[in-house]
Amino acid sequence: ISTKDKMLDIILQDDTTLHATHVVGADGKWSQVRLSFPETWNATIRTEPSFGVHIMVPSVPNEWRTDGTHVIQPPGNDCMFYIIAAPIPTGELSVSMVCYDETLERYPWLAPPENRTTTATTRGWQDEYSATPASEQCDTELADKLTSLFEAELPSFVKDIGRENLKTARINRRVSWVEINMSDVDESVVCFATRNGRAVLIGDAAHAVTPTMGEGANLAMQSAVSLVNSLTKSDSEGAVPTIDELSAAFLEYGKSRPKEVEAVQQKSAAMCRYENARMRK
């Protein structure tokens, strides 16, 4: 994004250029909108101990409910992982095996690489899956090891989802969240808007959170509502707001929203660290 006169030039990945007076950055944890304004948003990707193995199953098993999320934990007190399985709109079943440092003491072959930097300038979502197999042989080796693990710990689970589907398994990086630790609007506070109010961040672009509490989607929707409420205040009797009114609304949202989400981000990250510590006892 570049500034020209009173317009913003937005250059897309295919080199298409759009022109606008304002832009809303809703492009996720690895936001390119955020990176386009380094003088405003200095973001750090904070990494926590837990990580996961993601598996895609073509359909929900016959005896499983399709209207909710399934949480599956191996029996016994020495559980080193648990599973979250949720149907998605495509009809597939998204399965995440949640792991911690303690998991690696028993299953070291699940370890995710540790080479991702903590800055927000990496390759983005390309870096989110850390162990994409380099060959079909690697695919098979991971699937075979997962099959042995599940047959020992959760035999009914692997029977339901099918051994063949374990070939879709990918080891994710450790969970991370976004901390914006600078603002050119006021150095003492974080702001989700630029100084002139022409650009604003919402959702994961502004406040990505660890999945520990399941609050990411809630925070994103609340941020969208908060931004709309700020825009509504600038709307005089249904008239189209002026550039200055839009900028003022963006700034109002940008200054008020960080205080509302920071506590949730910190609590979610702390719970992730607590779960890791609990597993190690």
Side-chain angles (χ1 to χ4, degrees), residues 52-237:
V53 180
H54 187 248
I55 303 162
M56 286 302 299
V57 181
S59 60
V60 179
N62 290 333
E63 297 182 1
W64 290 35
R65 292 181 58 174
T66 59
D67 59 350
T69 299
H70 304 263
V71 179
I72 307 164
Q73 182 171 319
N77 295 325
D78 60 345
C79 170
M80 301 299 171
F81 66 90
Y82 64 93
I83 289 171
I84 299 176
I88 58 177
T90 60
E92 299 170 292
L93 183 70
S94 175
V95 178
S96 293
M97 174 185 177
V98 182
C99 306
Y100 298 89
D101 287 339
E102 186 79 357
T103 315
L104 300 180
E105 295 182 8
R106 181 175 296 183
Y107 310 110
W109 46 271
L110 284 172
E114 303 289 351
N115 59 353
R116 187 177 66 185
T117 62
T118 58
T119 63
T121 57
T122 64
R123 295 187 305 149
W125 291 112
Q126 296 178 46
D127 274 349
E128 204 68 9
Y129 294 96
S130 62
T132 301
S135 68
E136 185 175 343
Q137 179 182 356
C138 296
D139 240 357
T140 303
E141 289 176 357
L142 178 58
D144 287 345
K145 289 178 178 178
L146 286 171
T147 298
S148 297
L149 185 159
F150 291 140
E151 285 181 340
E153 301 282 358
L154 289 170
S156 59
F157 169 73
V158 72
K159 180 181 178 181
D160 283 350
I161 69 168
R163 295 174 178 82
E164 188 66 21
N165 293 320
L166 294 179
K167 288 187 177 180
T168 67
R170 299 292 182 266
I171 302 175
N172 292 11
R173 290 192 181 278
R174 294 180 185 272
V175 299
S176 57
W177 54 287
V178 171
E179 180 180 47
I180 296 181
N181 42 36
M182 171 185 169
S183 169
D184 68 352
V185 178
D186 183 340
E187 292 183 358
S188 64
V189 298
V190 172
C191 183
F192 290 161
T194 54
R195 180 189 292 272
N196 61 7
R198 301 291 291 281
V200 71
L201 301 175
I202 66 172
D204 281 358
H207 47 68
V209 64
T210 67
T212 320
M213 295 170 57
E215 287 291 337
N218 291 338
L219 290 178
M221 289 187 287
Q222 290 166 359
S223 287
V225 171
S226 180
L227 178 58
V228 169
N229 288 340
S230 295
L231 293 170
T232 303
K233 294 177 184 177
S234 68
D235 183 4
S236 54
E237 297 182 358

